[in-house]
Amino acid sequence: MAEAAPARPRVWVSQPLFDDIVARLDEYFDIDANRSVADHAPDAIAAALRDVDGALVTLNDPVGAAEIARATRLRAIANVGVGYNNLDVPALARAGIVATNTPDVLTETTADFGFALMMAAARRITEAEHWLRAGHWQGWAFRNMLGQDIHGATLGILGMGRIGQGIARRAIGFGMRTLYHNRSRLPDAVERECRARYVDADTLLAQSDHLLLVLPYAPENHHLIDAAALARMKPSATLTNIARGGLIDEAALAEALHAGRLAAAGLDVFEGEPRVDPRLLALPNVVLTPHIASGSLATRRAMVALAVDNLIAALGYGPDAGRPRNPIPVKPTLS
Ligand code: DGY
């Protein structure tokens, strides 16, 4: 009698990605793929992880001790994204589960978007478009929709990792003066290349004409930009967030924008995504986008390809078996 083929490892793909890329997993694994996009509840994630060896997840999928409690086969979680605040990395490591993310491939696309969002907020682009579409334009007027300049202005970058540096490089072309604050100061050569000067957080808040948040979210920096921080900013300044919503106290931001204590904001991320604070929705001087900073077609495909490679390698298959390119360090780094 012929021997039964050994069971293949099984992986869970938590939402539709790109079928042609995900299909590469077929070579090694059986696949359970979710056919719809969902913010998964802890029970649903725990059930999906229970009988699989690995998973491709996104920021919709919080995975921590509770979700993996009964996932006795699970050995690898590949996050499709650079941010990984949805993962409890120490809890995964304690259970012997390797976690990976997708840095680098999204740096330039995300920097492009951060710059665009800052410009849209400063120059009131979406506000002006909504106003025009609503039929308010009765004739050219000299003082209509006056905004804040980008060229020659002071750019503040909070979080000077790869994406922050990409934004600083773009600012050179606009003749901006760039200041940054980071957990640690960058080497001289990088500061020179980015033409960026290190300052303390208070100086950054006080001097920036346009402040961009590009730092990873961690519980220690929850509501880092609160009412007190906003009060230190210039009333003519703009604030742009392409990192994580939890960095900003949205109620305090809405109040500052409403009261004219801040000129405008550009927000791609929100604390309770996909819910957006109704006070922000009601304000004209905030540009709101649905967490799409890394969302060019080429970059989203590259992110999935990298996550697939990471999963294959982390589960011990393929050319890099056992050596995934992007293991997440167990101590979360704030760069
Ligand atoms: C990330 O990669 O962390 C983004 O927020 C989602 O693309």
Side-chain angles (χ1 to χ4, degrees):
M1 208 167 68
E3 265 182 49
R8 298 201 322 154
R10 178 167 281 279
V11 296
W12 178 52
V13 180
S14 78
Q15 70 163 276
L17 299 166
F18 293 102
D19 288 349
D20 59 319
I21 304 173
V22 170
R24 287 205 276 115
L25 295 169
D26 276 336
E27 191 179 334
Y28 311 101
F29 315 123
D30 290 336
I31 305 175
D32 290 337
N34 258 28
R35 287 281 144 218
S36 62
V37 180
D39 280 324
H40 293 109
D43 284 356
I45 295 175
L49 294 178
R50 189 171 168 175
D51 295 316
V52 297
D53 301 272
L56 271 191
V57 302
T58 71
L59 55 82
N60 301 93
D61 310 305
V63 184
E67 288 78 15
I68 59 170
R70 293 194 293 166
T72 48
R73 283 165 58 170
L74 190 63
R75 285 183 293 127
I77 296 274
N79 208 40
V80 191
V82 66
Y84 50 82
N85 57 302
N86 55 313
L87 304 181
D88 182 340
V89 179
L92 296 181
R94 280 195 297 277
I97 298 164
V98 174
T100 63
N101 68 339
T102 61
D104 300 318
V105 290
L106 48 61
T107 300
E108 300 303 330
T109 296
T110 307
D112 281 350
F113 190 88
F115 214 88
L117 191 55
M118 169 186 73
M119 292 190 76
R123 294 301 307 273
R124 305 174 65 177
I125 290 176
T126 54
E127 179 186 359
E129 189 194 353
H130 288 143
W131 181 85
L132 179 151
R133 285 181 189 269
H136 296 304
W137 196 20
Q138 300 301 321
W140 190 82
F142 205 75
R143 293 189 302 182
N144 194 18
M145 291 284 162
L146 303 181
Q148 307 296 327
D149 274 326
I150 300 294
H151 74 274
T154 296
L155 170 66
I157 300 177
L158 192 49
M160 197 63 157
R162 288 166 280 229
I163 298 169
Q165 291 170 33
I167 290 168
R169 285 195 304 272
R170 282 158 179 75
I172 297 170
F174 282 77
M176 299 183 89
R177 164 184 177 248
T178 299
L179 306 177
Y180 77 95
H181 182 73
N182 200 43
R183 197 176 49 138
S184 49
R185 191 172 167 171
L186 298 177
D188 286 354
V190 181
E191 285 191 348
R192 266 198 306 279
E193 190 210 321
C194 295
R195 297 207 208 144
R197 187 159 69 82
Y198 179 83
V199 292
D200 61 47
D202 279 346
T203 305
L204 191 80
L205 289 167
Q207 294 198 8
S208 297
D209 294 314
H210 305 292
L211 178 64
L212 264 107
L213 307 186
V214 207
L215 68 166
Y217 174 82
E220 309 85 84
N221 56 28
H222 182 72
H223 287 189
L224 183 68
I225 304 297
D226 57 7
L230 290 164
R232 286 190 206 109
M233 294 180 68
K234 301 178 187 179
S236 56
T238 73
L239 172 67
T240 296
N241 188 6
I242 56 167
R244 286 293 183 265
L247 294 170
I248 296 182
D249 176 344
E250 290 171 353
L253 175 62
E255 178 51 32
L257 289 165
H258 175 72
R261 282 187 270 106
L262 192 71
L267 304 177
D268 185 48
V269 286
F270 304 89
E271 189 168 355
E273 290 177 20
R275 184 186 165 275
V276 178
D277 188 315
R279 285 164 294 191
L280 291 172
L281 287 171
L283 286 166
N285 52 342
V286 50
V287 182
L288 305 165
T289 52
H291 203 147
I292 55 170
S294 65
S296 73
L297 177 60
T299 289
R300 285 281 163 91
R301 286 183 63 83
M303 290 165 69
V304 175
L306 183 53
V308 163
D309 286 346
N310 279 330
L311 186 59
I312 293 170
L315 287 174
Y317 293 85
D320 300 317
R323 288 176 288 109
R325 207 161 108 194
N326 311 107
I328 299 174
V330 175
K331 252 188 171 230
T333 49
L334 293 177
S335 57

